Amino acid sequence: MNISLNHANDLQGRLTVVVSEADYQEKVDAKLKDYRKKASIKGFRPGMVPTALVKKLYGQSVLVEEINHLLGHTVSDYIKENKLNLVGEPLPAVEETDSIDWEKDTEFTFHYDLGFHGDFTVDLSKIKSLTSYEIKAEKKEIEETIENLKKQFGEQTHPDTVEDRDLVFGTFTQGDWVEKSAIPLHAIKDKSKKIFLGAKKDDTLKFDIDQVFVDDKSLALATGKKEDEVSDLKGEVTYVVEDITRQIPSELNVEFFDKVLGAGKATDEKTFREELVKIVDENYKREANYLLKIDAEKALLDQIKIDLPDAFLKTWLIRINEGKFNADDIEKDFDNVKKDIRWNLIKNSVADKFEVKVEYAEVVEKAKDMVRQQFGGYLSSDQPGIEEMIEKIAMGYLSDKSKSDNFMNLYNQAFADKVSNAIVENISFKTSKIDVDKFKAIAAAL
């Protein structure tokens, strides 16, 4: 096999792979021999089909399959071994491939167009000093926070009848389909809430399942289905109410203080408020840190110039989107596409430099956090079976084979977070004190 790279310029090139008979024939013959053993063709006993007939029936498809397999590994290995600075993916030269005569040719030539990015260096020490904001919580924010905490850490009761904002546990039934479920009332359309409001334990509710939920994600979470499967859920179902959970806002007492702060941290309202101010300040510190990360990203993109192969990228984008976008569509958003590519290259460089890695357990925890957010403040780790339900939904989301990007989306989020942390830890910045309203105005302007 012969493989060579010809650079048209610094940013584009063509990879040529010449595959000779010696590269593939042994494996093709072995596979045809195996086909002969297993072939079931009328008029011949198993294993006794003439070799010439097997080759006539399967020879070309086996040859194409073997060469494609060989090409995939060869091109990938060449790119890795030569550490090519690729953007996008190798684009097969379709016209040349279509002209191949698979019946007569024994030597095959394949071409791949490649796009490269220019050399660049990420030196965080050269990023100009940025501003990190120090935000002081005021009385208004503290009072709002206390009210939210009273709801979050309130008592979970099991009332006799369903009211708005309750969490209803029960079982769906439709034909042979039976599914345990937890339905937060905020997941139900306003006009459909009357179906649930006033319902009691052991009541049987009937409704069209495809009509009552606010969106497919809410329906998927309630039924344990994958999001792309809920379109199959249609028509009337029965739903037997088995339990009702309601959050009652907590009183300002020691029990509440212990839930929020931890046991013994506050024994009266005064010390509770003092500790809470520290927590709120810490939350604002995280928000300020997030803003600093955004500013750092902008600074890196402004400072680091990376040449990209525009013509190649436009062709690549049209090809990988399989006709969904034309050249005009690509042109409209091309600057943002290039910005995303440059940022990904910078992120990967930072990750290599600071050895950023994401473990599987971190992705699972992100999925569980996502589930908790979907249920809002209804979930409490004290409630029997809640953590098991959260983990089941999270693992179902991650293992959904019909949406393989679920795992990668959360992995990429975790990766981006860790890279941003590495950047912030290694740049210089000055601190500026600011009130909450001014900070919100700055954040809103982004």
Side-chain angles (χ1 to χ4, degrees):
M1 188 181 305
N2 184 14
I3 184 166
S4 59
L5 175 61
N6 178 40
H7 281 273
N9 52 53
D10 291 340
L11 300 177
Q12 285 190 245
R14 172 163 280 204
L15 189 67
T16 300
V17 183
V18 180
V19 182
S20 66
E21 191 172 12
D23 298 319
Y24 62 80
Q25 194 61 57
E26 184 178 343
K27 290 185 178 180
V28 169
D29 290 343
K31 192 165 287 188
L32 287 174
K33 186 176 181 181
D34 187 56
Y35 272 45
R36 183 171 182 263
K37 292 178 182 177
K38 299 175 181 177
S40 178
I41 299 177
K42 189 175 181 179
F44 299 94
R45 286 180 295 165
M48 300 302 292
V49 180
T51 300
L53 180 58
V54 171
K55 187 173 182 179
K56 180 179 179 181
L57 292 173
Y58 305 109
Q60 183 171 319
S61 63
V62 170
L63 174 64
V64 173
E65 180 183 348
E66 183 56 40
I67 287 182
N68 281 335
H69 178 77
L70 186 63
L71 284 171
H73 284 283
T74 299
V75 172
S76 177
D77 291 345
Y78 182 89
I79 291 169
K80 290 178 183 177
E81 290 169 7
N82 290 275
K83 298 179 179 179
L84 300 181
N85 294 332
L86 293 192
V87 289
E89 299 164 353
L91 289 179
V94 178
E95 292 183 5
E96 287 90 334
T97 303
D98 288 345
S99 67
I100 290 175
D101 188 336
W102 291 100
E103 291 185 1
K104 297 180 180 179
D105 294 344
T106 56
E107 183 175 273
F108 305 93
T109 301
F110 301 89
H111 302 285
Y112 297 86
D113 292 319
L114 306 180
F116 308 97
H117 64 78
D119 292 332
F120 68 96
T121 301
V122 177
D123 187 349
L124 298 182
S125 67
K126 292 184 178 179
I127 298 295
K128 66 178 182 179
S129 182
L130 302 175
T131 300
S132 176
Y133 296 101
E134 183 179 315
I135 311 151
K136 186 67 177 175
E138 298 177 354
K139 184 177 179 179
K140 180 182 69 172
E141 284 73 41
I142 297 301
E143 294 303 325
E144 289 175 353
T145 301
I146 290 175
E147 289 305 311
N148 290 332
L149 288 171
K150 285 167 66 178
K151 294 176 184 177
Q152 180 180 344
F153 290 96
E155 179 185 359
Q156 282 196 341
T157 63
H158 299 275
D160 294 332
T161 59
V162 177
E163 293 182 5
D164 201 5
R165 310 305 297 176
D166 286 348
L167 179 64
V168 183
F169 291 85
T171 300
F172 283 111
T173 303
Q174 186 186 63
D176 295 332
W177 175 58
V178 179
E179 183 70 39
K180 292 281 186 182
S181 172
I183 304 176
L185 260 288
H186 68 72
I188 302 298
K189 294 177 181 177
D190 287 341
K191 66 180 181 181
S192 299
K193 286 182 179 179
K194 61 185 178 182
I195 298 169
F196 293 85
L197 296 178
K200 300 177 181 178
K201 184 178 178 181
D202 297 326
D203 278 358
T204 298
L205 312 180
K206 293 185 177 182
F207 51 87
D208 288 338
I209 194 169
D210 54 320
Q211 299 297 319
V212 302
F213 288 89
V214 294
D215 54 32
D216 287 348
K217 181 172 286 188
S218 297
L219 176 55
L221 285 168
T223 58
K225 294 278 188 181
K226 300 177 179 66
E227 197 171 330
D228 63 343
E229 293 177 342
V230 297
S231 59
D232 297 331
L233 296 174
K234 295 183 181 299
E236 187 176 80
V237 297
T238 61
Y239 185 81
V240 177
V241 178
E242 296 169 359
D243 192 18
I244 306 164
T245 298
R246 182 178 303 158
Q247 290 287 115
I248 303 297
S250 177
E251 298 293 330
L252 286 175
N253 53 34
V254 173
E255 182 182 358
F256 171 66
F257 303 154
D258 287 347
K259 286 181 180 179
V260 175
L261 304 175
K265 293 289 183 68
T267 56
D268 55 37
E269 186 174 341
K270 180 176 181 295
T271 53
F272 169 73
R273 287 177 177 275
E274 289 171 351
E275 291 297 321
L276 188 60
V277 167
K278 296 177 185 177
I279 294 173
V280 173
D281 285 344
E282 187 62 32
N283 288 339
Y284 281 130
K285 184 178 180 180
R286 280 195 291 271
E287 291 187 29
N289 190 52
Y290 175 71
L291 184 57
L292 180 60
K293 290 177 181 179
I294 294 176
D295 287 341
E297 175 181 336
K298 289 182 177 178
L300 284 165
L301 285 168
D302 287 342
Q303 177 182 300
I304 300 172
K305 306 302 179 185
I306 306 175
D307 292 329
L308 296 174
D310 288 10
F312 170 84
L313 285 174
K314 290 174 183 178
T315 302
W316 174 69
L317 288 167
I318 292 172
R319 185 88 65 87
I320 64 170
N321 283 290
E322 299 178 341
K324 294 178 182 177
F325 303 105
N326 57 34
D328 290 337
D329 296 326
I330 298 298
E331 193 66 44
K332 289 176 185 176
D333 201 42
F334 192 59
D335 286 343
N336 287 329
V337 171
K338 290 204 297 181
K339 180 181 175 181
D340 288 342
I341 291 172
R342 289 173 55 228
W343 180 237
N344 281 324
L345 290 170
I346 293 169
K347 281 196 302 185
N348 290 335
S349 178
V350 172
D352 289 341
K353 183 174 183 178
F354 295 101
E355 299 182 347
V356 173
K357 291 181 173 59
V358 175
E359 302 297 335
Y360 177 76
E362 294 174 284
V363 181
V364 172
E365 196 54 42
K366 267 204 169 291
K368 290 165 72 173
D369 286 343
M370 179 193 70
V371 175
R372 292 188 185 99
Q373 290 170 12
Q374 284 292 321
F375 281 94
Y378 288 103
L379 301 183
S380 169
S381 58
D382 296 334
Q383 190 169 342
I386 283 295
E387 286 302 318
E388 290 81 358
M389 183 185 75
I390 289 173
E391 183 161 1
K392 178 184 176 183
I393 295 173
M395 294 307 295
Y397 178 83
L398 291 175
S399 61
D400 186 350
K401 292 182 180 179
S402 66
K403 282 196 171 183
S404 57
D405 57 346
N406 283 351
F407 179 88
M408 286 309 302
N409 284 340
L410 292 182
Y411 174 92
N412 289 336
Q413 288 178 30
F415 176 77
D417 289 344
K418 296 185 84 168
V419 170
S420 292
N421 289 338
I423 291 171
V424 168
E425 290 166 4
N426 290 277
I427 60 173
S428 63
F429 55 86
K430 59 184 179 181
T431 302
S432 174
K433 293 185 178 181
I434 191 172
D435 64 37
V436 174
D437 290 337
K438 287 184 179 179
F439 176 78
K440 288 181 177 178
I442 292 171
L446 293 177

